[in-house]
Amino acid sequence: MMDRKKILDEGLLEKYLLDELNTSDRDYIEHALKTDKELLQKFSELEEDFEKMAFENAIPPPPQVKTKLKEQLDTKKARKLSNSPLLVAASLGVLFLLSSIWMYTKWQNTRAEFELLQNQTTALQERLNTLEENYVLTNTRLKTINSPKTIPLVLYSNEAAPNSRAVAYINHESKMVHVNAQGLPMLPKDKTYQMWSDVDGEMIDMGVLKTDEELISLKYIDKAESLNITIEPAGGNDHPTVANLIAYVTL
């Protein structure tokens, strides 16, 4: 059984006023209005608001409403004169109800358009935030690689990937490593480039390289003797495939 909150939240009073409820719900609303004074007060205010909005805004109903009403009036012209006041009152009531329904529909459409605009505004704000974050990150990286204490290193490829290269930027003071791998050829989707640091003969993973990004941040490894790039399965490997070594540089 519905309660007052459900009736108000689901707009059942408005639907009752506009005769949009089924028989069961309509009977329930009528019973609720008889037993709930606060609900009755809300309904009375709603009736007054609809009537006030209809007359103050003087919203003309769609042409088909007037046409149908005229047809109804023409059909009933043969009625007795004594019935004319009732007919006029009923016609005005129908006109008012149809005008109210039309106005309510317009209001619903306007609200939907407003919600759509809000969603678009939120999406735009999120996009702007992302762009701002990317700008800050890129600006920070550029300042870092342009620092006098940053060392640029070119990793030229071997015969496995001729005419290819990657550039690594290392700052030992800030322990930063950025790599531009856009000079490397594209790989199939099931393969990726991975960089390794050679420390006392042990190859330590620095991270996966992406060829579609200008600068990639990798892990800084202390006491590295060289930087090495291999081709590994997509997602990276836990150990280097030495046979797939394509580029390296000695530090």
Side-chain angles (χ1 to χ4, degrees):
M1 178 176 288
M2 293 180 287
D3 56 16
R4 181 194 304 157
K5 185 176 184 303
K6 181 178 179 64
I7 291 173
L8 296 177
D9 289 347
E10 296 186 4
L12 296 182
L13 289 182
E14 291 88 341
K15 293 181 180 180
Y16 173 77
L17 182 60
L18 298 176
D19 197 22
E20 295 179 353
L21 296 178
N22 57 41
T23 303
S24 176
D25 288 344
R26 186 176 182 83
D27 291 342
Y28 179 79
I29 295 300
E30 290 176 351
H31 175 72
L33 291 174
K34 292 177 182 179
T35 57
D36 191 324
K37 292 183 179 180
E38 183 175 338
L39 198 62
L40 179 60
Q41 177 64 28
K42 292 281 186 184
F43 180 73
S44 298
E45 293 174 357
L46 185 63
E47 278 188 313
E48 292 177 1
D49 289 342
F50 266 89
E51 183 175 357
K52 183 177 180 181
M53 290 171 65
F55 284 106
E56 285 185 353
N57 291 284
I59 298 175
Q64 60 267 29
V65 174
K66 293 183 178 180
T67 302
K68 291 182 180 180
L69 181 58
K70 187 174 183 301
E71 290 175 355
Q72 292 178 1
L73 293 175
D74 291 341
T75 303
K76 298 178 181 179
K77 279 184 179 179
R79 290 190 176 184
K80 293 181 181 181
L81 184 60
S82 58
N83 290 333
S84 295
L86 180 59
L87 176 61
V88 173
S91 300
L92 288 175
V94 171
L95 180 60
F96 171 73
L97 178 59
L98 293 175
S99 298
S100 299
I101 294 174
W102 181 76
M103 182 176 60
Y104 177 76
T105 302
K106 292 286 289 183
W107 172 69
Q108 289 285 73
N109 292 338
T110 301
R111 186 173 68 174
E113 291 173 358
F114 176 72
E115 291 176 352
L116 176 60
L117 180 60
Q118 280 187 316
N119 293 336
Q120 291 175 340
T121 301
T122 300
L124 178 60
Q125 184 61 52
E126 291 175 352
R127 184 178 179 185
L128 288 175
N129 290 340
T130 300
L131 290 174
E132 184 178 359
E133 291 173 0
N134 291 339
Y135 169 77
V136 171
L137 178 60
T138 301
N139 192 48
T140 301
R141 287 175 174 176
L142 289 175
K143 286 182 179 179
T144 303
I145 65 176
N146 289 325
S147 169
K149 297 182 179 180
T150 297
I151 304 171
L153 299 169
V154 180
L155 289 84
Y156 290 102
S157 61
N158 56 23
E159 64 277 2
N163 302 319
S164 301
R165 70 174 189 172
V167 181
Y169 301 90
I170 299 180
N171 189 312
H172 295 291
E173 182 176 289
S174 62
K175 297 186 182 300
M176 173 279 300
V177 177
H178 293 317
V179 179
N180 182 339
Q182 290 183 320
L184 299 176
M186 295 291 292
L187 292 175
K189 291 184 178 180
D190 61 341
K191 299 292 182 181
T192 189
Y193 293 109
Q194 192 166 352
M195 182 171 279
W196 312 83
S197 285
D198 182 0
V199 180
D200 295 331
E202 180 183 359
M203 299 287 269
I204 301 176
D205 175 33
M206 296 177 66
V208 171
L209 296 174
K210 298 179 181 179
T211 57
D212 58 350
E213 294 184 18
E214 186 174 358
L215 284 175
I216 306 152
S217 297
L218 297 182
K219 290 182 289 185
Y220 175 87
I221 306 297
D222 282 319
K223 300 179 181 179
E225 299 171 4
S226 66
L227 302 179
N228 306 268
I229 298 177
T230 61
I231 298 176
E232 304 294 344
N237 208 344
D238 56 0
H239 61 278
T241 305
V242 179
N244 290 337
L245 177 70
I246 63 147
Y248 76 95
V249 65
T250 302
L251 302 182

